Amino acid sequence: MAAPRNLTGDGGGRQLDGGGRQLVKDEESAAASSAAKGLLNDDSPTGKRTKSERFPLSRWEFAVFFTVFLVFTTGLLCIYLTMPAAEYGKLKVPRTISDLRLLKENLGSYASEYQARFILGYCSTYIFMQTFMIPGTIFMSLLAGALFGVVRGFVLVVLNATAGACSCFFLSKLVGRPLVNWLWPEKLRFFQAEIAKRRDRLLNYMLFLRITPTLPNLFINLSSPIVDIPFHVFFLATLIGLMPASYITVRAGLALGDLRSVKDLYDFKTLSVLFLIGSISIFPALLKRKRVYE
């Protein structure tokens, strides 16, 4: 390296040094440009934050969702307007146990006098809330037990919960994929992997999920069509799997005075019973798997 430097002389050395400095500047500029691009990449925290802040639904998907919501709202309003006059100021979706007690007192005589139309309004409201993921259906289940008793209340809750879940299933099939990917990306990947491993005994697994509080029912309703769960499996698992929890909730509605909060419904004993029933639902699949291995 020393010999070429002596041959070129001082001027050449200065030219070489100037070129070297220019080369270093170019490399620094390229590095800065790459770093700036890296910050905008999806793998970077900034990229992820920008991506997560975007609303997941496209204009077409939002238009479909809004149209379905408008149709359901119009139908519910028509049913509401055809019902006999009442003190509408006292009618509201309960959010606490105290709200539920007041609503039960206000609706007791009304539900007895106009039973058929009241049941129609109750069912429409329940399905509407379940379809559009509006919190409060557990209070509606308690109200069914308080107003209709265990048998009729249980039948109403199971049928309405199943109908609302199926309606949510089809709504998610239309526009739910980007929303679920946006809200629960990790949970969705986990659920998809679990479903893929249990394709041959899917009904048993879905029954277990419905009976036990392993995954939220809202997540199951929205993600099931996305992970390609057949509708008949979803329907049967929902209809049968919601029965134990529905019975517990409806029965608790008979004794609203003893409840302090919704948490009292699912104590350790109740959860243990639900998990025991859920374990029974997957026992045939475990037995079949053992025979296969043998």
Side-chain angles (χ1 to χ4, degrees):
M1 295 295 295
R5 188 175 303 218
N6 290 336
L7 289 172
T8 55
D10 294 339
R14 282 192 296 271
Q15 291 177 359
L16 185 63
D17 291 342
R21 284 194 296 272
Q22 184 63 37
L23 183 61
V24 170
K25 288 181 180 179
D26 291 343
E27 290 177 350
E28 290 176 350
S29 299
S33 177
S34 298
K37 290 179 180 178
L39 288 174
L40 297 176
N41 197 350
D42 288 342
D43 293 335
S44 67
T46 306
K48 286 182 179 178
R49 187 171 61 250
T50 303
K51 185 177 180 180
S52 64
E53 287 172 355
R54 290 199 300 266
F55 189 68
L57 298 182
S58 65
R59 291 181 180 179
W60 180 86
E61 290 166 336
F62 181 77
V64 171
F65 178 85
F66 182 75
T67 302
V68 175
F69 182 80
L70 190 61
V71 170
F72 270 74
T73 304
T74 304
L76 186 62
L77 183 62
C78 291
I79 293 172
Y80 185 74
L81 292 176
T82 56
M83 293 184 70
E87 297 182 37
Y88 294 120
K90 296 181 180 180
L91 298 180
K92 65 175 184 177
V93 177
R95 299 298 180 189
T96 62
I97 295 296
S98 58
D99 289 345
L100 188 61
R101 293 194 192 103
L102 289 174
L103 186 63
K104 189 239 178 184
E105 292 174 3
N106 295 328
L107 290 178
S109 59
Y110 186 89
S112 300
E113 189 173 353
Y114 307 102
Q115 191 172 75
R117 280 181 282 187
F118 178 80
I119 290 176
L120 178 62
Y122 172 88
C123 294
S124 303
T125 305
Y126 198 115
I127 294 172
F128 180 85
M129 294 174 65
Q130 190 90 336
T131 300
F132 296 102
M133 303 151 281
I134 300 173
T137 52
I138 189 170
F139 293 108
M140 297 291 287
S141 300
L142 287 167
L143 184 63
L147 293 177
F148 305 117
V150 175
V151 177
R152 283 190 298 171
F154 172 74
V155 172
L156 279 175
V157 169
V158 171
L159 293 180
N160 283 314
T162 303
C166 292
S167 183
C168 187
F169 176 96
F170 287 115
L171 181 62
S172 180
K173 196 177 185 69
L174 281 175
V175 297
R177 183 179 295 273
L179 187 63
V180 177
N181 275 314
W182 185 57
L183 291 173
W184 305 290
E186 297 296 332
K187 189 179 290 186
L188 181 62
R189 281 192 288 269
F190 168 78
F191 188 43
Q192 195 163 21
E194 292 299 310
I195 293 298
K197 291 189 294 186
R198 295 172 170 84
R199 282 289 172 188
D200 56 336
R201 49 191 183 277
L202 194 53
L203 180 60
N204 298 92
Y205 180 62
M206 289 297 294
L207 277 172
F208 175 80
L209 292 181
R210 282 302 197 187
I211 294 171
T212 64
T214 307
L215 287 174
N217 281 324
L218 171 62
F219 174 78
I220 296 173
N221 294 342
L222 288 172
S223 61
S224 291
I226 298 172
V227 298
D228 297 325
I229 293 176
F231 175 71
H232 70 278
V233 173
F234 176 86
F235 174 79
L236 287 175
T238 302
L239 181 65
I240 300 171
L242 291 180
M243 287 182 180
S246 297
Y247 177 79
I248 292 170
T249 308
V250 170
R251 189 174 178 82
L254 296 175
L256 288 179
D258 298 334
L259 287 177
R260 294 186 300 273
S261 69
V262 177
K263 294 180 180 178
D264 295 340
L265 289 173
Y266 297 102
D267 54 10
F268 178 77
K269 181 180 178 181
T270 303
L271 291 176
S272 300
V273 171
L274 290 177
F275 272 102
L276 178 61
I277 298 172
S279 300
I280 293 173
S281 70
I282 62 172
F283 181 75
L286 295 176
L287 188 61
K288 180 180 177 182
R289 186 176 181 181
K290 182 180 178 183
R291 288 176 179 174
V292 169
Y293 284 135
E294 288 177 351

